[in-house]
Amino acid sequence: FELHDESSLIRAMRSSTPAGGAMIVTAGKQGSWLSDSQGIWHFVPPAIPVVNPIGSGDAYAGGLAVGLWRKMSLIDACRLATACAAANAMTQNAGQINAGDIAKLLEKVEARQI
């Protein structure tokens, strides 16, 4: 697939998401997209002062894993993952996430169904 814009991403996700499964695509400060049997969601992180984005993808994966381990819905786990990725980008060193930042950012993560 050639993904030139959000609409081409959405078409690709709709045609590639396995039946009964889910797919997540991350795109840094543009947020992430979730495709599952319920539809497609876009998770938009709040505007933050970016100090160092290195490790934010890993922070996203960690936040997603924690959310699923806590038995959150996939949508809420993606919201947590988005907050974790943003919190990571606010710190100098990769992987040094402040729990207080996550809590504040989580309230501001925009989750919209497409």
Side-chain angles (χ1 to χ4, degrees), residues 5-108:
D5 53 27
E6 185 180 48
S7 59
S8 61
L9 171 65
I10 291 167
R11 280 193 306 275
M13 291 182 79
R14 281 194 175 122
S15 66
S16 301
T17 302
M23 175 186 294
I24 297 171
V25 174
T26 62
K29 65 182 178 181
Q30 294 177 340
S32 61
W33 290 261
L34 161 68
S35 175
D36 67 6
S37 61
Q38 305 300 310
I40 295 181
W41 290 79
H42 183 199
F43 301 92
V44 181
I48 58 163
V50 175
V51 176
N52 183 3
I54 295 173
S56 291
D58 292 334
Y60 186 100
L64 182 64
V66 167
L68 295 174
W69 179 76
R70 291 180 178 170
K71 302 202 184 311
M72 292 178 162
S73 69
L74 189 51
I75 291 167
D76 286 339
C78 286
R79 288 182 68 243
L80 176 62
T82 301
C84 289
N88 178 81
M90 293 171 58
T91 65
Q92 182 60 43
N93 297 322
Q96 290 187 343
I97 297 176
N98 181 309
D101 288 341
I102 295 170
K104 290 176 191 171
L105 292 167
L106 185 56
E107 296 174 8
K108 298 177 182 177

